Amino acid sequence: MYAKSNPSDARANNRRLLFRLLFPDRQLSRADLCKETGLSRATATDVTGEMIDDGLLRELGSGKRDGRGKPGTLLAIDTDVLRLVCIDLSRPYVMTGAVMDLRARIVERRERVLDDGDRVDLDDVLSLVGQMIRLAGSGLVGIGVAVPGVVSGAGRVISSSNLGWDDVELRDMLEGEFSLPVRVDNDANAALLADRFLGHGNPNCLLVQITRGIGASVLLNDEFVDGDDHAAGEIGHVVIDPNGPACTCGKRGCLETYVSAIALRDRIRQDPNRRADILAEAGARLGGALAMPASLLNLHDIAVYGPPDIVGETLLNACDETVNSLSRNDYQSSMRVRRCELGDDATLRGQAVSVLREIVGRRGLSAAASS
């Protein structure tokens, strides 16, 4: 059965489309936007005017004249009016909070050291969100939280072994406490959003995140692959050697035991003279694990995100060589393995992108933010 079209849905989609064309730092006239989207001039004028009133866009000076006639007024993302609050729970021993503008740039940030290693208390999350809200002041329109683990589309943390959480209704809890739209996402998904829209990513891309564990995320035609249980990308506990070292999950030879930052730093600490060999071996193992899914999905772009002491040329070159040697054929171009170069704030900035994707279709943001 087909649902009837809803004019408000079309309007929301047009707002998202125009915002995405300008994000993060393009400057286009209304005529430019019409050319790139196929929208009529009347629709573009109406929707952009509404977005200016809402604090999403602003008018700049006149652009260059293109042929005869008066040059058009340029539009850009407005970074002065509205704010987001984002929290990153993916890093060991610390929670990071930030106030962000609409270009996913950090305006204010705060960090809280975790007293109990990786374990995070929900009251501490609520407290940090509250602190960041006070720093944001007026104009706050959304909250985002990036979590290591399995997260449902409704913002429920199904499982996060690193945080010690199971079945936590985090989005509902935060929306009930702060009365603002909330996005809760897997941390690797957030990093991939940052790489896609703020870095060098493509609409079809696989990102591997190497931190305390191993996580992955996949975009196909700019849509996330979630899986039946919202657990797509949870590759850290896939066994690559049944006779390998014991893993915290109870199995042996999981990918995480070979390639996580913690495991590699421990090995390098024990044998610093073999650092290059250890990282090359890790890259080869990672490449071997990625060859099958990358070939299955016909992906040419693989990004690796992690600390620079681990994710450097030695590991990346070994991964690139292995994944291509195992998957090369006559009808498929080679895969590119590269480093995600957005630094420690990639997860925070990607979570801001996730919140923006959620809210830009809504009308009356400025009014809601000031109420």
Side-chain angles (χ1 to χ4, degrees):
M1 181 183 233
Y2 293 101
K4 293 182 179 179
S5 62
N6 187 334
S8 64
D9 291 341
R11 198 172 195 85
N13 288 336
N14 287 337
R15 286 167 62 104
R16 296 187 190 101
L17 176 61
L18 295 177
F19 189 90
R20 179 167 171 175
L21 283 175
L22 292 165
F23 184 83
D25 53 14
R26 294 184 77 192
Q27 299 177 6
L28 298 172
S29 69
R30 289 173 177 83
D32 295 329
L33 292 171
C34 291
K35 290 177 183 177
E36 295 201 27
T37 62
L39 294 175
S40 70
R41 183 62 182 263
T43 298
T45 298
D46 186 27
V47 175
T48 54
E50 179 186 287
M51 294 174 75
I52 290 169
D53 291 341
D54 277 347
L56 292 170
L57 303 182
R58 62 178 175 179
E59 291 185 330
L60 306 175
S62 297
K64 294 181 180 179
R65 180 179 297 177
D66 185 11
R68 302 174 63 181
K70 183 180 177 181
T73 300
L74 295 176
L75 298 170
I77 304 295
D78 193 332
T79 59
D80 296 333
V81 178
L82 304 179
R83 293 289 182 262
L84 314 171
V85 161
C86 291
I87 308 295
D88 179 11
L89 302 180
S90 69
R91 298 166 62 193
Y93 311 115
V94 66
M95 292 190 300
T96 306
V99 178
M100 323 278 289
D101 68 17
L102 296 194
R103 287 173 56 185
R105 300 180 304 185
I106 294 174
V107 178
E108 295 272 2
R109 68 180 296 146
R110 296 291 187 273
E111 292 184 347
R112 290 195 182 182
V113 176
L114 301 174
D115 293 330
D116 188 21
D118 292 345
R119 301 293 169 171
V120 175
D121 189 273
L122 286 170
D123 288 337
D124 290 335
V125 177
L126 291 171
S127 175
L128 181 57
V129 172
Q131 179 185 6
M132 302 317 299
I133 287 175
R134 291 188 292 274
L135 286 172
S138 61
L140 182 62
V141 290
I143 299 168
V145 185
V147 177
V150 181
V151 181
S152 77
R156 177 170 61 95
V157 182
I158 298 170
S159 175
S160 177
S161 58
N162 287 323
L163 302 182
W165 293 358
D166 287 296
D167 199 24
V168 175
E169 297 285 357
L170 187 58
R171 189 191 72 179
D172 289 350
M173 183 185 305
L174 292 172
E175 288 187 345
E177 182 74 18
F178 300 109
S179 300
L180 286 163
V182 175
R183 281 289 309 180
V184 178
D185 296 283
N186 170 268
D187 57 335
N189 283 5
L192 181 50
L193 275 179
D195 186 70
R196 170 68 181 100
F197 294 106
L198 302 167
H200 303 288
N202 295 292
N204 299 291
C205 181
L206 187 158
L207 179 138
V208 177
Q209 181 170 263
I210 300 177
T211 52
R212 61 182 116 191
I214 300 290
S217 180
V218 175
L219 276 180
L220 292 179
N221 299 319
D222 270 337
E223 294 290 338
F224 280 111
V225 177
D226 290 325
D228 288 341
D229 301 311
H230 308 286
E234 294 295 314
I235 63 172
H237 296 290
V238 173
V239 174
I240 61 172
D241 181 0
N243 299 314
C247 181
T248 55
C249 73
K251 295 181 289 189
R252 303 190 70 88
C254 293
L255 181 63
E256 192 167 292
T257 64
Y258 289 102
V259 188
S260 73
I262 291 174
L264 290 173
R265 283 171 177 157
D266 283 344
R267 290 186 62 194
I268 292 168
R269 193 179 302 115
Q270 295 170 15
D271 195 355
N273 293 328
R274 293 193 64 251
R275 181 178 185 278
D277 292 337
I278 291 169
L279 292 176
E281 177 189 323
R285 288 187 181 276
L286 180 61
L290 297 179
M292 181 65 78
S295 295
L296 177 69
L297 299 174
N298 190 26
L299 297 172
H300 297 154
D301 186 21
I302 298 173
V304 184
Y305 175 53
D309 63 310
I310 299 298
V311 183
E313 287 189 8
T314 300
L315 183 145
L316 293 171
N317 289 343
C319 182
D320 187 292
E321 181 178 347
T322 302
V323 76
N324 278 290
S325 67
L326 294 178
S327 60
R328 187 177 296 122
N329 53 53
D330 295 335
Y331 49 86
Q332 195 172 7
S333 56
S334 62
M335 301 176 193
R336 176 182 63 144
V337 178
R338 58 179 175 84
R339 186 170 187 269
C340 174
E341 298 178 349
L342 292 172
D344 291 341
D345 293 327
T347 304
L348 274 175
R349 300 188 70 197
Q351 193 59 36
V353 174
S354 179
V355 177
L356 288 169
R357 283 158 57 109
E358 177 80 12
I359 67 171
V360 294
R362 304 183 184 190
R363 300 188 65 179
L365 290 174
S366 290
S370 59
S371 63

PDB file of all heavy atoms in Angstrom, residues 93-119:
ATOM      1  N   TYR A  93      39.112   6.332  29.439  1.00  0.00           N
ATOM      2  CA  TYR A  93      39.495   7.150  30.592  1.00  0.00           C
ATOM      3  C   TYR A  93      38.999   8.590  30.554  1.00  0.00           C
ATOM      4  O   TYR A  93      39.333   9.365  31.446  1.00  0.00           O
ATOM      5  CB  TYR A  93      41.018   7.148  30.781  1.00  0.00           C
ATOM      6  CG  TYR A  93      41.623   5.778  30.749  1.00  0.00           C
ATOM      7  CD1 TYR A  93      42.498   5.395  29.745  1.00  0.00           C
ATOM      8  CD2 TYR A  93      41.285   4.824  31.723  1.00  0.00           C
ATOM      9  CE1 TYR A  93      43.037   4.115  29.696  1.00  0.00           C
ATOM     10  CE2 TYR A  93      41.815   3.552  31.681  1.00  0.00           C
ATOM     11  CZ  TYR A  93      42.686   3.202  30.678  1.00  0.00           C
ATOM     12  OH  TYR A  93      43.203   1.924  30.631  1.00  0.00           O
ATOM     13  N   VAL A  94      38.218   8.976  29.550  1.00  0.00           N
ATOM     14  CA  VAL A  94      37.770  10.362  29.503  1.00  0.00           C
ATOM     15  C   VAL A  94      36.453  10.473  28.735  1.00  0.00           C
ATOM     16  O   VAL A  94      36.221   9.746  27.778  1.00  0.00           O
ATOM     17  CB  VAL A  94      38.845  11.270  28.848  1.00  0.00           C
ATOM     18  CG1 VAL A  94      39.042  10.918  27.387  1.00  0.00           C
ATOM     19  CG2 VAL A  94      38.502  12.743  29.014  1.00  0.00           C
ATOM     20  N   MET A  95      35.569  11.354  29.206  1.00  0.00           N
ATOM     21  CA  MET A  95      34.388  11.776  28.455  1.00  0.00           C
ATOM     22  C   MET A  95      34.662  13.181  27.935  1.00  0.00           C
ATOM     23  O   MET A  95      35.184  14.028  28.661  1.00  0.00           O
ATOM     24  CB  MET A  95      33.140  11.831  29.341  1.00  0.00           C
ATOM     25  CG  MET A  95      32.640  10.517  29.840  1.00  0.00           C
ATOM     26  SD  MET A  95      30.977  10.724  30.619  1.00  0.00           S
ATOM     27  CE  MET A  95      31.347  11.879  31.928  1.00  0.00           C
ATOM     28  N   THR A  96      34.285  13.424  26.694  1.00  0.00           N
ATOM     29  CA  THR A  96      34.501  14.741  26.102  1.00  0.00           C
ATOM     30  C   THR A  96      33.173  15.342  25.684  1.00  0.00           C
ATOM     31  O   THR A  96      32.352  14.677  25.047  1.00  0.00           O
ATOM     32  CB  THR A  96      35.420  14.653  24.872  1.00  0.00           C
ATOM     33  OG1 THR A  96      36.629  13.981  25.222  1.00  0.00           O
ATOM     34  CG2 THR A  96      35.765  16.052  24.350  1.00  0.00           C
ATOM     35  N   GLY A  97      32.969  16.598  26.057  1.00  0.00           N
ATOM     36  CA  GLY A  97      31.772  17.319  25.650  1.00  0.00           C
ATOM     37  C   GLY A  97      32.149  18.556  24.870  1.00  0.00           C
ATOM     38  O   GLY A  97      33.222  19.135  25.078  1.00  0.00           O
ATOM     39  N   ALA A  98      31.283  18.969  23.943  1.00  0.00           N
ATOM     40  CA  ALA A  98      31.583  20.146  23.128  1.00  0.00           C
ATOM     41  C   ALA A  98      30.299  20.884  22.783  1.00  0.00           C
ATOM     42  O   ALA A  98      29.249  20.275  22.582  1.00  0.00           O
ATOM     43  CB  ALA A  98      32.326  19.760  21.855  1.00  0.00           C
ATOM     44  N   VAL A  99      30.420  22.202  22.709  1.00  0.00           N
ATOM     45  CA  VAL A  99      29.406  23.039  22.088  1.00  0.00           C
ATOM     46  C   VAL A  99      29.868  23.267  20.652  1.00  0.00           C
ATOM     47  O   VAL A  99      31.019  23.645  20.414  1.00  0.00           O
ATOM     48  CB  VAL A  99      29.252  24.386  22.818  1.00  0.00           C
ATOM     49  CG1 VAL A  99      28.211  25.253  22.120  1.00  0.00           C
ATOM     50  CG2 VAL A  99      28.882  24.161  24.278  1.00  0.00           C
ATOM     51  N   MET A 100      28.980  23.023  19.681  1.00  0.00           N
ATOM     52  CA  MET A 100      29.346  23.057  18.267  1.00  0.00           C
ATOM     53  C   MET A 100      28.491  24.073  17.521  1.00  0.00           C
ATOM     54  O   MET A 100      27.342  24.320  17.884  1.00  0.00           O
ATOM     55  CB  MET A 100      29.132  21.682  17.622  1.00  0.00           C
ATOM     56  CG  MET A 100      29.447  20.486  18.483  1.00  0.00           C
ATOM     57  SD  MET A 100      31.173  20.066  18.538  1.00  0.00           S
ATOM     58  CE  MET A 100      31.441  19.424  16.899  1.00  0.00           C
ATOM     59  N   ASP A 101      29.064  24.636  16.448  1.00  0.00           N
ATOM     60  CA  ASP A 101      28.245  25.467  15.574  1.00  0.00           C
ATOM     61  C   ASP A 101      27.682  24.623  14.436  1.00  0.00           C
ATOM     62  O   ASP A 101      27.890  23.405  14.391  1.00  0.00           O
ATOM     63  CB  ASP A 101      29.022  26.697  15.075  1.00  0.00           C
ATOM     64  CG  ASP A 101      30.156  26.342  14.109  1.00  0.00           C
ATOM     65  OD1 ASP A 101      30.179  25.221  13.563  1.00  0.00           O
ATOM     66  OD2 ASP A 101      31.027  27.205  13.883  1.00  0.00           O
ATOM     67  N   LEU A 102      26.978  25.256  13.510  1.00  0.00           N
ATOM     68  CA  LEU A 102      26.305  24.496  12.451  1.00  0.00           C
ATOM     69  C   LEU A 102      27.238  24.033  11.340  1.00  0.00           C
ATOM     70  O   LEU A 102      26.783  23.385  10.399  1.00  0.00           O
ATOM     71  CB  LEU A 102      25.157  25.314  11.853  1.00  0.00           C
ATOM     72  CG  LEU A 102      23.998  25.664  12.784  1.00  0.00           C
ATOM     73  CD1 LEU A 102      22.805  26.165  11.982  1.00  0.00           C
ATOM     74  CD2 LEU A 102      23.588  24.501  13.670  1.00  0.00           C
ATOM     75  N   ARG A 103      28.513  24.361  11.428  1.00  0.00           N
ATOM     76  CA  ARG A 103      29.496  23.780  10.520  1.00  0.00           C
ATOM     77  C   ARG A 103      30.267  22.658  11.201  1.00  0.00           C
ATOM     78  O   ARG A 103      31.316  22.245  10.726  1.00  0.00           O
ATOM     79  CB  ARG A 103      30.441  24.859   9.997  1.00  0.00           C
ATOM     80  CG  ARG A 103      29.789  25.786   8.976  1.00  0.00           C
ATOM     81  CD  ARG A 103      30.682  26.956   8.589  1.00  0.00           C
ATOM     82  NE  ARG A 103      31.973  26.527   8.076  1.00  0.00           N
ATOM     83  CZ  ARG A 103      32.965  27.379   7.758  1.00  0.00           C
ATOM     84  NH1 ARG A 103      32.780  28.683   7.899  1.00  0.00           N
ATOM     85  NH2 ARG A 103      34.099  26.920   7.287  1.00  0.00           N
ATOM     86  N   ALA A 104      29.742  22.177  12.333  1.00  0.00           N
ATOM     87  CA  ALA A 104      30.354  21.086  13.108  1.00  0.00           C
ATOM     88  C   ALA A 104      31.736  21.461  13.609  1.00  0.00           C
ATOM     89  O   ALA A 104      32.623  20.618  13.698  1.00  0.00           O
ATOM     90  CB  ALA A 104      30.403  19.790  12.293  1.00  0.00           C
ATOM     91  N   ARG A 105      31.908  22.724  13.950  1.00  0.00           N
ATOM     92  CA  ARG A 105      33.157  23.191  14.552  1.00  0.00           C
ATOM     93  C   ARG A 105      32.958  23.370  16.053  1.00  0.00           C
ATOM     94  O   ARG A 105      31.882  23.754  16.504  1.00  0.00           O
ATOM     95  CB  ARG A 105      33.600  24.516  13.929  1.00  0.00           C
ATOM     96  CG  ARG A 105      33.851  24.434  12.435  1.00  0.00           C
ATOM     97  CD  ARG A 105      34.284  25.782  11.869  1.00  0.00           C
ATOM     98  NE  ARG A 105      33.314  26.834  12.165  1.00  0.00           N
ATOM     99  CZ  ARG A 105      33.399  28.064  11.709  1.00  0.00           C
ATOM    100  NH1 ARG A 105      34.423  28.418  10.934  1.00  0.00           N
ATOM    101  NH2 ARG A 105      32.488  28.972  12.017  1.00  0.00           N
ATOM    102  N   ILE A 106      34.005  23.113  16.809  1.00  0.00           N
ATOM    103  CA  ILE A 106      33.930  23.181  18.265  1.00  0.00           C
ATOM    104  C   ILE A 106      34.066  24.628  18.727  1.00  0.00           C
ATOM    105  O   ILE A 106      35.034  25.311  18.380  1.00  0.00           O
ATOM    106  CB  ILE A 106      35.007  22.296  18.908  1.00  0.00           C
ATOM    107  CG1 ILE A 106      34.709  20.826  18.591  1.00  0.00           C
ATOM    108  CG2 ILE A 106      35.059  22.513  20.421  1.00  0.00           C
ATOM    109  CD1 ILE A 106      35.792  19.869  19.049  1.00  0.00           C
ATOM    110  N   VAL A 107      33.089  25.075  19.518  1.00  0.00           N
ATOM    111  CA  VAL A 107      33.105  26.419  20.090  1.00  0.00           C
ATOM    112  C   VAL A 107      33.635  26.378  21.517  1.00  0.00           C
ATOM    113  O   VAL A 107      34.425  27.225  21.928  1.00  0.00           O
ATOM    114  CB  VAL A 107      31.684  27.026  20.058  1.00  0.00           C
ATOM    115  CG1 VAL A 107      31.674  28.414  20.696  1.00  0.00           C
ATOM    116  CG2 VAL A 107      31.149  27.088  18.630  1.00  0.00           C
ATOM    117  N   GLU A 108      33.174  25.399  22.294  1.00  0.00           N
ATOM    118  CA  GLU A 108      33.649  25.167  23.665  1.00  0.00           C
ATOM    119  C   GLU A 108      33.796  23.673  23.865  1.00  0.00           C
ATOM    120  O   GLU A 108      33.037  22.893  23.306  1.00  0.00           O
ATOM    121  CB  GLU A 108      32.650  25.710  24.693  1.00  0.00           C
ATOM    122  CG  GLU A 108      32.446  27.204  24.691  1.00  0.00           C
ATOM    123  CD  GLU A 108      33.436  27.928  25.584  1.00  0.00           C
ATOM    124  OE1 GLU A 108      34.307  27.249  26.179  1.00  0.00           O
ATOM    125  OE2 GLU A 108      33.345  29.158  25.681  1.00  0.00           O
ATOM    126  N   ARG A 109      34.751  23.268  24.679  1.00  0.00           N
ATOM    127  CA  ARG A 109      34.895  21.845  24.986  1.00  0.00           C
ATOM    128  C   ARG A 109      35.294  21.674  26.437  1.00  0.00           C
ATOM    129  O   ARG A 109      35.960  22.518  27.033  1.00  0.00           O
ATOM    130  CB  ARG A 109      35.902  21.165  24.061  1.00  0.00           C
ATOM    131  CG  ARG A 109      37.339  21.596  24.256  1.00  0.00           C
ATOM    132  CD  ARG A 109      38.282  20.880  23.300  1.00  0.00           C
ATOM    133  NE  ARG A 109      38.315  19.454  23.554  1.00  0.00           N
ATOM    134  CZ  ARG A 109      38.472  18.537  22.602  1.00  0.00           C
ATOM    135  NH1 ARG A 109      38.593  18.910  21.332  1.00  0.00           N
ATOM    136  NH2 ARG A 109      38.488  17.262  22.906  1.00  0.00           N
ATOM    137  N   ARG A 110      34.886  20.535  26.999  1.00  0.00           N
ATOM    138  CA  ARG A 110      35.249  20.168  28.359  1.00  0.00           C
ATOM    139  C   ARG A 110      35.518  18.669  28.390  1.00  0.00           C
ATOM    140  O   ARG A 110      34.920  17.897  27.647  1.00  0.00           O
ATOM    141  CB  ARG A 110      34.139  20.516  29.357  1.00  0.00           C
ATOM    142  CG  ARG A 110      33.835  22.006  29.491  1.00  0.00           C
ATOM    143  CD  ARG A 110      34.977  22.750  30.172  1.00  0.00           C
ATOM    144  NE  ARG A 110      34.617  24.130  30.437  1.00  0.00           N
ATOM    145  CZ  ARG A 110      34.777  25.129  29.575  1.00  0.00           C
ATOM    146  NH1 ARG A 110      35.266  24.881  28.358  1.00  0.00           N
ATOM    147  NH2 ARG A 110      34.439  26.364  29.900  1.00  0.00           N
ATOM    148  N   GLU A 111      36.404  18.245  29.282  1.00  0.00           N
ATOM    149  CA  GLU A 111      36.703  16.824  29.444  1.00  0.00           C
ATOM    150  C   GLU A 111      36.549  16.425  30.901  1.00  0.00           C
ATOM    151  O   GLU A 111      36.856  17.216  31.804  1.00  0.00           O
ATOM    152  CB  GLU A 111      38.123  16.505  28.963  1.00  0.00           C
ATOM    153  CG  GLU A 111      38.314  16.655  27.465  1.00  0.00           C
ATOM    154  CD  GLU A 111      39.703  16.230  27.015  1.00  0.00           C
ATOM    155  OE1 GLU A 111      40.571  16.059  27.903  1.00  0.00           O
ATOM    156  OE2 GLU A 111      39.911  16.068  25.801  1.00  0.00           O
ATOM    157  N   ARG A 112      36.070  15.219  31.108  1.00  0.00           N
ATOM    158  CA  ARG A 112      35.975  14.667  32.457  1.00  0.00           C
ATOM    159  C   ARG A 112      36.694  13.334  32.495  1.00  0.00           C
ATOM    160  O   ARG A 112      36.368  12.413  31.732  1.00  0.00           O
ATOM    161  CB  ARG A 112      34.512  14.480  32.872  1.00  0.00           C
ATOM    162  CG  ARG A 112      33.786  15.791  33.106  1.00  0.00           C
ATOM    163  CD  ARG A 112      32.491  15.563  33.856  1.00  0.00           C
ATOM    164  NE  ARG A 112      31.778  16.804  34.031  1.00  0.00           N
ATOM    165  CZ  ARG A 112      30.636  16.915  34.693  1.00  0.00           C
ATOM    166  NH1 ARG A 112      30.073  15.836  35.227  1.00  0.00           N
ATOM    167  NH2 ARG A 112      30.036  18.084  34.811  1.00  0.00           N
ATOM    168  N   VAL A 113      37.649  13.225  33.393  1.00  0.00           N
ATOM    169  CA  VAL A 113      38.393  11.980  33.550  1.00  0.00           C
ATOM    170  C   VAL A 113      37.520  10.972  34.278  1.00  0.00           C
ATOM    171  O   VAL A 113      36.811  11.309  35.240  1.00  0.00           O
ATOM    172  CB  VAL A 113      39.691  12.226  34.337  1.00  0.00           C
ATOM    173  CG1 VAL A 113      40.422  10.909  34.593  1.00  0.00           C
ATOM    174  CG2 VAL A 113      40.591  13.191  33.578  1.00  0.00           C
ATOM    175  N   LEU A 114      37.526   9.737  33.796  1.00  0.00           N
ATOM    176  CA  LEU A 114      36.720   8.678  34.393  1.00  0.00           C
ATOM    177  C   LEU A 114      37.473   8.050  35.561  1.00  0.00           C
ATOM    178  O   LEU A 114      38.614   7.607  35.408  1.00  0.00           O
ATOM    179  CB  LEU A 114      36.380   7.616  33.344  1.00  0.00           C
ATOM    180  CG  LEU A 114      35.610   8.125  32.124  1.00  0.00           C
ATOM    181  CD1 LEU A 114      35.469   6.999  31.090  1.00  0.00           C
ATOM    182  CD2 LEU A 114      34.254   8.656  32.528  1.00  0.00           C
ATOM    183  N   ASP A 115      36.833   8.008  36.708  1.00  0.00           N
ATOM    184  CA  ASP A 115      37.479   7.460  37.899  1.00  0.00           C
ATOM    185  C   ASP A 115      37.640   5.947  37.818  1.00  0.00           C
ATOM    186  O   ASP A 115      38.562   5.379  38.387  1.00  0.00           O
ATOM    187  CB  ASP A 115      36.661   7.812  39.150  1.00  0.00           C
ATOM    188  CG  ASP A 115      36.670   9.313  39.429  1.00  0.00           C
ATOM    189  OD1 ASP A 115      37.674   9.966  39.082  1.00  0.00           O
ATOM    190  OD2 ASP A 115      35.677   9.818  39.977  1.00  0.00           O
ATOM    191  N   ASP A 116      36.719   5.304  37.083  1.00  0.00           N
ATOM    192  CA  ASP A 116      36.711   3.838  37.037  1.00  0.00           C
ATOM    193  C   ASP A 116      37.100   3.336  35.653  1.00  0.00           C
ATOM    194  O   ASP A 116      36.397   2.547  35.028  1.00  0.00           O
ATOM    195  CB  ASP A 116      35.320   3.316  37.426  1.00  0.00           C
ATOM    196  CG  ASP A 116      35.310   1.794  37.588  1.00  0.00           C
ATOM    197  OD1 ASP A 116      36.396   1.215  37.793  1.00  0.00           O
ATOM    198  OD2 ASP A 116      34.222   1.197  37.492  1.00  0.00           O
ATOM    199  N   GLY A 117      38.225   3.845  35.156  1.00  0.00           N
ATOM    200  CA  GLY A 117      38.710   3.386  33.853  1.00  0.00           C
ATOM    201  C   GLY A 117      37.737   3.706  32.745  1.00  0.00           C
ATOM    202  O   GLY A 117      37.449   4.855  32.460  1.00  0.00           O
ATOM    203  N   ASP A 118      37.174   2.662  32.122  1.00  0.00           N
ATOM    204  CA  ASP A 118      36.272   2.840  30.996  1.00  0.00           C
ATOM    205  C   ASP A 118      34.809   2.961  31.428  1.00  0.00           C
ATOM    206  O   ASP A 118      33.976   3.398  30.641  1.00  0.00           O
ATOM    207  CB  ASP A 118      36.384   1.650  30.038  1.00  0.00           C
ATOM    208  CG  ASP A 118      37.728   1.620  29.343  1.00  0.00           C
ATOM    209  OD1 ASP A 118      38.421   2.631  29.378  1.00  0.00           O
ATOM    210  OD2 ASP A 118      38.057   0.576  28.752  1.00  0.00           O
ATOM    211  N   ARG A 119      34.470   2.564  32.617  1.00  0.00           N
ATOM    212  CA  ARG A 119      33.072   2.507  33.032  1.00  0.00           C
ATOM    213  C   ARG A 119      32.503   3.919  33.159  1.00  0.00           C
ATOM    214  O   ARG A 119      33.113   4.794  33.764  1.00  0.00           O
ATOM    215  CB  ARG A 119      32.933   1.760  34.350  1.00  0.00           C
ATOM    216  CG  ARG A 119      33.469   0.331  34.283  1.00  0.00           C
ATOM    217  CD  ARG A 119      32.622  -0.534  33.357  1.00  0.00           C
ATOM    218  NE  ARG A 119      33.268  -1.818  33.077  1.00  0.00           N
ATOM    219  CZ  ARG A 119      32.677  -2.811  32.451  1.00  0.00           C
ATOM    220  NH1 ARG A 119      31.433  -2.680  32.034  1.00  0.00           N
ATOM    221  NH2 ARG A 119      33.326  -3.937  32.210  1.00  0.00           N
TER     222      ARG A 119
END
